[in-house]
Amino acid sequence: MIASLASVQKYQEVFYHKGLELELLTKSADDMKRTESVIIQIDPKNFSPLRKQELMRDYTKKILEYGYNFMLRDGDQDIAFLSIYGNDQMTKTAFASIIGIIPTYRGEILLFT
């Protein structure tokens, strides 16, 4: 999958005008910790750090390794996460693995006003 830099930049500008930052994540240890934290906040019932810590690490490593991953930030607070895959070159199939906003920000972000 080839990500269109122009598309990413367009949405970075939209979010910037709302006082938010859209960041493309790397495979770094820091981004892995941030991703784990936000996924747990988005869906704590399915990703409890006490019950499934090892599973979470494996899952986070997988999505950071093979997907395009974006974090939305409000200042120093990570508030939303998007993980998309487009690595099936045979069928040209792409899908979103995770789309989520932490509960305290749900219903608060209006993009196109």
Side-chain angles (χ1 to χ4, degrees), residues 7-20:
S7 296
V8 173
Q9 288 174 335
K10 172 188 171 186
Y11 286 102
Q12 285 175 325
E13 288 177 23
V14 169
F15 285 116
Y16 176 78
H17 290 296
K18 297 290 182 178
L20 304 170

Side-chain angles (χ1 to χ4, degrees), residues 86-103:
N87 54 359
D88 187 338
Q89 299 301 314
M90 296 295 292
T91 64
K92 306 288 187 208
T93 302
F95 61 93
S97 177
I98 297 176
I99 301 172
I101 300 172
I102 64 171

Side-chain angles (χ1 to χ4, degrees), residues 39-40 42-49 51-53 55-56:
I39 291 172
I40 290 167
I42 290 169
D43 191 1
K45 291 178 186 173
N46 288 323
F47 293 110
S48 169
R51 295 181 317 171
K52 301 181 181 180
Q53 188 171 8
L55 175 63
M56 173 57 81

Side-chain angles (χ1 to χ4, degrees), residues 59-76:
Y59 181 68
T60 304
K61 184 177 179 181
K62 176 185 158 188
I63 61 176
L64 289 178
E65 179 73 26
Y66 297 108
Y68 289 90
N69 302 282
F70 298 89
M71 189 73 73
L72 188 62
R73 299 175 58 86
D74 184 4
D76 290 337

